[in-house]
Amino acid sequence: MVKLNLRLPDDLHALVRTQAAADRRSLNAEILHLIEIGLATVTPETPDSPDGAPRRP
């Protein structure tokens, strides 16, 4: 498992913390859940990333 230091703006931290409490998850588990959801919405057939650069496999 990789440890990662992450800097969040105070307002985003508060929002994620509130959502974690509502979902009865730890802050870490909530962040992982949100990342997994976000990555699931990225489809392999999407050729370009939002900045226009080609996606890498």
Side-chain angles (χ1 to χ4, degrees):
M1 183 165 297
V2 176
K3 285 183 104 175
L4 173 72
N5 287 326
L6 177 65
R7 296 181 200 178
L8 296 174
D10 292 338
D11 57 337
L12 182 58
H13 179 261
L15 184 61
V16 175
R17 178 176 279 191
T18 299
Q19 188 62 47
D23 292 340
R24 301 180 77 181
R25 293 187 182 110
S26 68
L27 184 61
N28 187 74
E30 187 67 22
I31 291 169
L32 291 176
H33 174 73
L34 293 170
I35 290 171
E36 289 172 349
I37 288 172
L39 289 175
T41 63
V42 177
T43 58
E45 59 273 0
T46 305
D48 296 324
S49 62
D51 65 359
R55 289 200 184 275
R56 290 187 171 84

